[in-house]
Amino acid sequence: MNSSKRYGVERRQFLKYMAAVSAIPFSSCRTTSPVITRPQFEDYPFKLSVASGDPEPDGVVLWTRLAPLPLDEGGGMPSEPIETFWEVANDEAFRNIVQKGTAHAIPQLGHSVHVEVTGLKPAHSYFYRFHAGVHTSPVGRTRTAPAEDSMPERVRFAFTSCQNYESGYFNGYPHMVKEDLDLIVHLGDYIYEYGGVNNRPRKHIGAEVESLDEYRTRYAQYRLDRMLAEAHRQFPWLVTWDDHEFDNNYANLVSEEDGISPEKFLVRRMNAYQAYYEFMPLRRRSFPQGPQMTLYRSCKYGRLANFNVLDTRQYRTDQPNGDRQKPMVGKALDPRATMLGEQQENWLMKNLINSSATWNIMAQQVMMAPLNRGKGEDRRYSMDQWPGYEVSRRRLLDFFHQRKIPNPVVLTGDIHVNWVNDLQLDFKDDNSPVVGTEFVGTSMSSGGNGGNRITEYERAAEQNDFVQYYNSNRGYVSCDITPDTWTTHFRITPFVEKPGAPLINEASFLLKSGIPGVKRI
Ligand SMILES: [Fe+2]
């Protein structure tokens, strides 16, 4: 898997070339082809519903995608740009419209629409909808972030990750939408790239996805899931990706499989990133430049919370020691190894230093606590997670400690089970100070029903003193934060292999501002 690293120079030139040829200038779309202002569709064009995201105090991104035949190549759309109209109102009946405008759904972006609305009031709920031709979209509901200098009394959000369509139904979402939330955070593995397999609860369309059209179809298949679409329709989302939006366990330009040329891998990454942008309610700052896409960003909820949304896939060095579970030696301790890349790490540290927030959140993918999963003296750590990048990991924890960053909270996905971890400055020293807390969400559906005994993890929970909680059910995590307290609820769905699971609050934990370490409540 390391062989492709030798293509250094060509790789960089290729990257520049790809970025240059594939960047689609937004403004030129208006002038190059005639826009269809009164489109006719062979079926309802809003089957993929609506979404909103990346809230700011004065606005949000509104999203839709025109596709009368969402699972067909091209979505059943002509190859011309289509004019759409959007409206934002205070009420669900749209009597009191506060903002409106037009936006073009262009074929280069699969007729997706991303509107960055401004001029809205902070910490305010709104309704929105789109029109195209004679058709009107479902009505979405969204909420702006609180004013930058305000101290909100409370902010509530849920986070989840890892929703393999084939493994089961997204049974957490119907419960999530009943909660009174400001925001939903998705930590990646929104889709899985694998080809369809028989005899599972559901089946992916087609083989493993590689082309732009294949990624688009895969996202469309997921978004046609009513439970997922409904969660998008009801709340603004803050999204980041993990590996499966592109390819399992990839690191930057390195494929998990041997013998994939970086050029071929980059073309696939460009397809994957573009489809992700097309389907997510993202701002223009995240617009893909060929095979590169800046997804790391911050989202402030007044002086209460600052979400630092991270990308631990695009810029990382290759997994050391051949990936998988290995002792923390050799390349795992390489000081040049990086999880975030220099630019993102500097951005994060600057953001943390300048933050006036009570709670400083890192919404990211892989586990930060160094979980030893080995037996006895044979200590083993996941080389795909932060312990495979131990110098990077320590640098960040040192930074939390030395710069006295207020209440760092790390939110994690990827691993398909729940954990609560004290983040200790030096995990080899029991008396080392706790400098942050990590809440790890389980999967929404990946891995099937869950709740089973996983010997390796049970042993790990036992032998790693920093672990405060472990659970193998499926579900999501709900967080309720105030200026003094952070409460995390681990919500579980006892099954996912059929729809209609109840919701159980499996455990809750309390953090007090300024006091490191969680308490089970
Ligand atoms: Fe996953």
Side-chain angles (χ1 to χ4, degrees):
M1 102 187 283
N2 291 298
S3 59
S4 40
K5 287 262 160 90
R6 290 185 208 122
Y7 295 81
V9 174
E10 300 97 290
R11 189 187 74 197
R12 271 194 298 279
Q13 282 168 349
F14 184 71
L15 205 70
K16 276 190 191 153
Y17 169 76
M18 294 288 278
V21 296
S22 58
I24 302 160
F26 262 83
S27 52
S28 68
C29 302
R30 283 164 185 265
T31 50
T32 48
S33 21
V35 176
I36 301 179
T37 51
R38 285 182 199 171
Q40 295 204 335
F41 304 100
E42 52 185 297
D43 210 333
Y44 184 58
F46 293 107
K47 286 179 183 164
L48 294 170
S49 194
V50 295
S52 69
D54 276 20
E56 297 278 338
D58 70 337
V60 290
V61 179
L62 307 180
W63 176 95
T64 194
R65 184 178 176 101
L66 303 177
L69 305 168
L71 299 176
D72 284 14
E73 201 174 309
M77 291 294 292
S79 53
E80 282 88 32
I82 308 286
E83 186 163 73
T84 67
F85 299 88
W86 56 270
E87 297 167 306
V88 177
N90 278 321
D91 60 314
E92 210 169 346
F94 289 82
R95 283 191 199 93
N96 186 0
I97 291 170
V98 293
Q99 293 282 359
K100 60 182 179 180
T102 62
H104 295 162
I106 66 170
Q108 295 94 320
L109 293 175
H111 292 100
S112 60
V113 183
H114 299 74
V115 177
E116 291 185 46
V117 183
T118 55
L120 303 181
K121 284 186 204 160
H124 207 76
S125 290
Y126 291 97
F127 296 91
Y128 64 93
R129 66 185 177 190
F130 292 88
H131 305 278
V134 297
H135 300 280
T136 300
S137 75
V139 173
R141 186 184 66 170
T142 191
R143 190 168 172 83
T144 51
E148 210 165 312
D149 55 356
S150 70
M151 178 54 93
E153 274 172 40
R154 82 181 334 137
V155 165
R156 280 179 271 211
F157 71 95
F159 72 90
T160 189
S161 66
C162 299
Q163 46 192 37
N164 191 330
Y165 185 89
E166 291 204 327
S167 316
Y169 294 83
F170 305 153
N171 284 342
Y173 286 126
H175 298 286
M176 198 191 280
V177 297
K178 285 185 210 144
E179 296 205 28
D180 183 13
L181 302 172
D182 293 278
L183 183 70
I184 292 174
V185 179
H186 200 286
L187 301 177
D189 288 359
Y190 186 99
I191 60 155
Y192 280 70
E193 79 282 22
Y194 302 126
V197 175
N198 288 329
N199 304 317
R200 294 202 174 158
R202 300 196 282 186
K203 192 177 173 185
H204 282 148
I205 294 168
E208 179 154 338
V209 291
E210 289 188 17
S211 72
L212 178 57
D213 276 316
E214 288 163 351
Y215 278 107
R216 284 169 168 169
T217 304
R218 184 57 54 87
Y219 278 99
Q221 186 180 17
Y222 276 59
R223 201 57 80 72
L224 286 171
D225 178 284
R226 283 219 195 126
M227 302 184 220
L228 176 59
E230 191 60 8
H232 276 289
R233 192 182 71 78
Q234 299 256 19
F235 298 102
W237 283 46
L238 190 59
V239 299
T240 187
W241 56 33
D242 194 13
D243 51 339
H244 289 286
E245 284 83 354
F246 170 26
D247 188 32
N248 183 43
N249 277 20
Y250 81 97
N252 196 335
L253 303 175
V254 184
S255 167
E256 187 188 34
E257 292 130 69
D258 279 326
I260 308 277
S261 79
E263 287 77 10
K264 205 174 160 209
F265 202 56
L266 269 182
V267 172
R268 186 173 169 196
R269 194 169 100 173
M270 179 174 76
N271 298 334
Y273 285 10
Q274 181 172 334
Y276 186 79
Y277 173 81
E278 287 180 2
F279 275 86
M280 295 298 155
L282 288 168
R283 291 183 181 268
R284 207 163 300 177
R285 65 187 174 198
S286 297
F287 192 76
Q289 300 290 316
Q292 298 165 322
M293 182 166 151
T294 310
L295 200 54
Y296 65 84
R297 61 206 190 278
S298 73
C299 178
K300 290 183 183 140
Y301 272 67
R303 288 185 289 117
L304 183 60
N306 194 357
F307 291 88
N308 296 282
V309 182
L310 306 185
D311 174 356
T312 62
R313 287 289 166 193
Q314 193 176 176
Y315 314 104
R316 66 156 80 186
T317 44
D318 195 13
Q319 288 91 346
N321 305 341
D323 207 349
R324 305 182 199 285
Q325 319 298 321
K326 298 287 165 59
M328 197 189 286
V329 294
K331 288 267 182 196
L333 303 171
D334 183 353
R336 286 162 307 169
T338 175
M339 182 59 107
L340 299 174
E342 202 183 336
Q343 214 178 334
Q344 181 178 201
E345 187 174 317
N346 291 343
W347 165 85
L348 173 63
M349 288 180 171
K350 196 173 144 204
N351 236 7
L352 290 170
I353 288 255
N354 293 335
S355 172
S356 55
T358 301
W359 303 99
N360 286 288
I361 303 162
M362 273 125 291
Q364 56 98 49
Q365 297 77 21
V366 290
M367 195 129 108
M368 194 172 281
L371 193 75
N372 164 25
R373 308 160 170 204
K375 271 186 197 163
E377 287 308 298
D378 179 25
R379 296 190 176 85
R380 284 175 185 256
Y381 304 86
S382 169
M383 295 292 108
D384 186 53
Q385 299 171 2
W386 282 88
Y389 302 78
E390 182 59 10
V391 177
S392 252
R393 198 183 75 82
R394 283 183 187 221
R395 196 161 52 234
L396 192 56
L397 294 183
D398 270 342
F399 186 83
F400 290 171
H401 184 62
Q402 287 182 12
R403 301 303 179 103
K404 300 187 169 58
I405 304 302
N407 305 307
V409 178
V410 175
L411 308 179
T412 302
D414 176 58
I415 193 168
H416 304 176
V417 287
N418 291 126
W419 302 88
V420 176
N421 303 314
D422 287 334
L423 293 172
Q424 272 178 301
L425 190 58
D426 178 2
F427 73 98
K428 288 180 176 159
D429 173 7
D430 286 348
N431 298 316
S432 178
V434 174
V435 297
T437 301
E438 178 172 39
F439 295 113
V440 183
T442 183
S443 67
M444 177 56 75
S445 64
S446 303
N449 283 339
N452 47 318
R453 297 196 59 184
I454 307 170
T455 320
E456 180 194 332
Y457 286 159
E458 286 184 358
R459 186 174 62 230
E462 225 17 63
Q463 69 194 8
N464 292 276
D465 285 344
F466 55 77
V467 173
Q468 302 300 329
Y469 175 64
Y470 157 75
N471 170 60
S472 70
N473 285 103
R474 306 282 92 97
Y476 67 94
V477 185
S478 185
C479 301
D480 186 339
I481 55 185
T482 73
D484 303 316
T485 59
W486 173 305
T487 316
T488 294
H489 303 289
F490 289 93
R491 317 279 205 211
I492 63 152
T493 50
F495 56 85
V496 296
E497 290 174 11
K498 54 184 184 183
L503 190 75
I504 296 164
N505 192 67
E506 220 283 322
S508 298
F509 287 85
L510 178 73
L511 260 176
K512 284 191 176 158
S513 174
I515 304 171
V518 289
K519 223 195 225 166
R520 190 159 180 168
I521 50 172

